[in-house]
Amino acid sequence: MTTAMVKQEIAVASFSQVYDLDQVETALNDLGEGANDALRTTYEKMLKTGNLRFCVKPNRMPSIDDLIDALPNFADPLDDIRKQVALCLETEDRLELMPILLLGDPGIGKTHFAKQLARLLGTAYHYVAMSSLTAGWILSGASSQWKNAKPGKVFDALVNGSYANPVITVDEIDKATGDSQYDPLGALYALLEHDTAQTFIDEFAEVPINAGHVIWIATANDERSIPEPIMNRMNVYEIPPPDRDGARRIAQSIYAEIRGAHNWGLRFPEQIGEGALEALKNASPREMRRAILNGFGAARIDGRDEIGGGDIRLDYGNRRRPIGF
């Protein structure tokens, strides 16, 4: 049984040009006196920070088996990622991953998987919640002519971040909503195609940026509301609920992650107790995380340094949606 979190891999870094400095300088010089101050500041910052960002990949085959052990129901996408990593090891080639769509029940661990993948590959992680959007501006930015306009998440990740190939999670893509004039998924038609992503134009900055190296992870509960052209741009994986043994391994992994992230975790043993594991066997990963964190506190209030089955509460006002095996 694994007890450790996925290790941060040592990465090989090359540099990638994410925008053209001459284009930015031209855009800055073309601004009139009444231009948006935030846009002017953005161009000035782009020139000051430069246009090179790290484009990283593991320097050896990463511990994918450890991640499969911690997240056994994600074995299919991880096996395909292993193949793509193998192709670029010991060469100058960069890691190329097709955009990934993870389909599965709420709370099954899809966004947790994306975070761990970023850690596995040694790059940055960014998160976009589509369920809260009424327009696609959060991805592609809003025109500088609008009040309080600003660049989108993709521009921010590449221009203000350190990496040319971060993992960007577009969560609950099936719940994106918009009005009749603006498609909230519109930016993804260009961003999910490698060729068009290399000259992606944020509506605020209006200069091309190279988003061709971004690693895209989309999640959804129901694919029926996702446009077919978006589906066709991604490798689609249906993530099943873990079986009983898998659920126990996930619970141990989450326990180890929480324990290792806090100084008070040193008081507790490396292995979660059998009683707690049994109490967690039908919980989703999201429910496990909440229950285990509260279980640590319950044990300490009772003066104990081990979580017992009685410390695990999963009812939370009967809101729980159990996952069967």
Side-chain angles (χ1 to χ4, degrees):
M1 181 182 295
T2 184
T3 62
M5 292 187 295
V6 173
K7 294 179 181 179
Q8 175 76 51
E9 290 293 334
I10 299 173
V12 176
S14 57
F15 283 102
S16 180
Q17 181 175 301
V18 294
Y19 51 87
D20 187 292
L21 290 173
D22 290 338
Q23 290 179 331
V24 177
E25 188 166 12
T26 298
L28 176 61
N29 292 334
D30 287 345
L31 289 179
E33 290 185 6
N36 186 307
D37 287 339
L39 180 59
R40 187 183 305 277
T41 300
T42 296
Y43 289 152
E44 290 171 348
K45 183 177 180 181
M46 292 172 75
L47 293 173
K48 182 178 180 180
T49 58
N51 61 353
L52 298 179
R53 301 295 182 269
F54 293 117
C55 197
V56 299
K57 66 179 181 181
N59 68 345
R60 60 178 182 271
M61 181 58 71
S63 51
I64 290 178
D65 287 336
D66 289 344
L67 189 51
I68 290 176
D69 194 45
L71 298 171
N73 46 335
F74 289 85
D76 286 348
L78 285 169
D79 279 337
D80 285 348
I81 289 167
R82 188 202 310 268
K83 295 170 187 173
Q84 297 307 309
V85 172
L87 288 174
C88 70
L89 288 179
E90 300 176 359
T91 72
E92 298 298 318
D93 296 304
R94 291 171 175 173
L95 175 63
E96 294 183 19
L97 291 181
M98 278 282 292
I100 291 172
L101 173 61
L102 304 174
L103 296 174
D105 292 335
I108 207 168
K110 301 185 291 292
T111 53
H112 177 67
F113 163 83
K115 289 180 184 177
Q116 294 303 309
L117 178 61
R119 188 176 184 87
L120 189 80
L121 299 177
T123 190
Y125 173 79
H126 299 272
Y127 175 85
V128 180
M130 294 301 288
S131 61
S132 63
L133 301 184
T134 56
W137 299 322
I138 197 168
L139 280 175
S140 61
S143 171
S144 61
Q145 297 178 18
W146 290 89
K147 184 179 180 180
N148 299 323
K150 60 182 181 180
K153 283 276 192 177
V154 179
F155 180 95
D156 184 63
L158 296 174
V159 175
N160 297 323
S162 301
Y163 296 91
N165 63 338
V167 170
I168 299 182
T169 296
V170 184
D171 195 30
E172 296 188 314
I173 194 174
D174 53 327
K175 293 182 174 60
T177 57
D179 55 36
S180 58
Q181 297 179 330
Y182 206 104
D183 179 3
L185 301 180
L188 289 177
Y189 290 94
L191 288 167
L192 297 179
E193 288 278 11
H194 180 75
D195 290 344
T196 54
Q198 293 181 76
T199 54
F200 176 72
I201 297 180
D202 182 273
E203 292 191 24
F204 178 82
E206 295 185 327
V207 291
I209 58 173
N210 183 0
H213 300 299
V214 171
I215 299 167
W216 292 98
I217 309 289
T219 77
N221 306 138
D222 185 351
E223 75 271 27
R224 288 175 295 180
S225 60
I226 304 173
E228 191 65 28
I230 295 290
M231 293 277 289
N232 290 340
R233 285 164 164 79
M234 298 185 285
N235 286 338
V236 181
Y237 300 91
E238 293 193 21
I239 306 302
D243 58 20
R244 183 177 182 275
D245 179 63
R248 289 166 66 91
R249 282 188 281 158
I250 291 171
Q252 172 59 43
S253 175
I254 292 172
Y255 171 87
E257 181 180 344
I258 295 173
R259 176 184 177 271
H262 300 89
N263 290 332
W264 49 254
L266 297 176
R267 295 172 172 171
F268 291 82
E270 291 186 0
Q271 301 282 341
I272 190 171
E274 182 64 30
L277 279 178
E278 187 64 21
L280 291 163
K281 65 181 181 181
N282 289 328
S284 71
R286 181 181 296 165
E287 293 166 330
M288 287 179 184
R289 181 173 300 277
R290 181 172 55 204
I292 291 171
L293 183 58
N294 284 325
F296 277 114
R300 285 304 304 152
I301 287 174
D302 200 36
R304 291 178 284 107
D305 293 333
E306 183 172 358
I307 298 177
D311 299 318
I312 300 298
R313 288 188 56 237
L314 289 165
D315 52 339
Y316 296 102
N318 295 319
R319 289 177 294 168
R320 185 168 73 91
R321 180 170 175 262
I323 292 178
F325 301 114

